Amino acid sequence: MSEQLPVGGIELSAAEIEALDARWSSSWTPSEVAGHLAGVATPWYVAGGWAVDLFLGRQMRAHADIEIAVPASRFTEIRSRFPGFAFDAVGSGRIWEDATAAELAAVHQTWLRDPSTGSYVLDVFREPHDGDTWICRRDASIRFPYDEIIHHTQDGIPYLAPELVLLFKAKHARKKDQADFDVTLPHLTPAQRWTLGELLTRVHPGHRWLAAVSAPPSDRC
């Protein structure tokens, strides 16, 4: 993604930002997204809080939206699965409706909008990659083959490996992120905990989660 935001777009007012919750109230479930994307060749996965639920096998909390991620250069195939919907580019408090290629290239986040209602139903992250290798947008030195980081539920819904979900959540560590960390950590394997600890140390040195990650499971709350 480029460093320069494109001209134009709609700068959201405080009231419009507050109203976004209502516009996301009809967001899809992971099963609905998977139905739209069945059979695509492009690797994709559910991210964020829903990924935690898919890992744990049950819904742990309410979700304001649903996020998936795809390789940036293969977004076209994903886009073709949603005829009748509009993709809006989003970044820095602005929205570029029916985004052009240049607008999409400037930011990584894309919201799928139902033009008939104005509601948003899906948040698509277009992520950096090198062929079949995923690249972390927070630290380009962190790279994994897609087939190592995409897990699947019993009914085939792909989701991001939980240790990477928590890595992304660590940046802001909001109340919901802390809740996701607390319910996920006891279910990580030793290898997953080790990976999370290594990545947190690299991306967020001194993060408050590190003590819990490195503690033996019996010593954790």
Side-chain angles (χ1 to χ4, degrees):
M1 305 303 162
S2 69
E3 299 291 330
Q4 183 86 24
L5 288 177
V7 298
I10 302 167
E11 184 173 2
L12 299 178
S13 67
E16 288 171 325
I17 292 173
E18 187 173 344
L20 284 175
D21 284 348
R23 296 187 68 182
W24 277 101
S25 61
S26 301
S27 61
W28 290 335
T29 64
S31 294
E32 289 175 307
V33 177
H36 283 281
L37 296 179
V40 298
T42 301
W44 69 276
Y45 54 80
V46 175
W50 270 115
V52 167
D53 289 349
L54 295 176
F55 168 64
L56 295 174
R58 61 193 185 278
Q59 186 170 348
M60 304 300 296
R61 62 175 176 84
H63 299 283
D65 59 8
I66 182 168
E67 303 158 346
I68 69 168
V70 304
S73 71
R74 301 182 66 177
F75 174 65
T76 301
E77 183 179 4
I78 302 300
R79 189 173 197 168
S80 70
R81 289 304 188 99
F82 301 100
F85 289 85
F87 273 105
D88 298 344
V90 185
S92 300
R94 303 185 76 87
I95 293 178
W96 291 265
E97 293 187 341
D98 293 308
T100 65
E103 290 164 349
L104 289 171
V107 296
H108 75 273
Q109 197 165 8
T110 327
W111 292 352
L112 183 64
R113 173 170 48 87
D114 182 345
S116 67
T117 63
S119 296
Y120 288 112
V121 294
L122 178 64
D123 189 353
V124 182
F125 295 150
R126 289 164 289 107
E127 302 278 28
H129 68 109
D130 181 7
D132 292 329
T133 298
W134 174 87
I135 301 174
C136 178
R137 68 174 184 273
R138 300 269 170 82
D139 183 335
S141 69
I142 300 172
R143 300 173 178 231
F144 294 100
Y146 276 107
D147 59 7
E148 289 186 9
I149 66 163
I150 297 178
H151 298 191
H152 294 83
T153 64
Q154 289 186 345
D155 52 353
I157 300 175
Y159 63 92
L160 182 62
E163 62 271 28
L164 295 178
V165 174
L166 294 180
L167 174 66
F168 281 110
K169 285 180 165 291
K171 180 177 181 179
H172 299 294
R174 299 156 296 187
K175 183 177 179 180
K176 65 180 181 179
D177 301 320
Q178 185 66 50
D180 288 342
F181 174 79
D182 290 340
V183 298
T184 302
L185 191 61
H187 297 276
L188 297 183
T189 66
Q192 288 172 321
R193 290 199 305 272
W194 183 88
T195 298
L196 176 58
E198 288 293 303
L199 296 181
L200 280 175
T201 299
R202 186 186 309 185
V203 181
H204 301 293
H207 196 283
R208 68 174 187 266
W209 288 353
L210 281 167
V213 171
S214 60
S218 60
D219 292 345
R220 254 188 263 116
C221 297

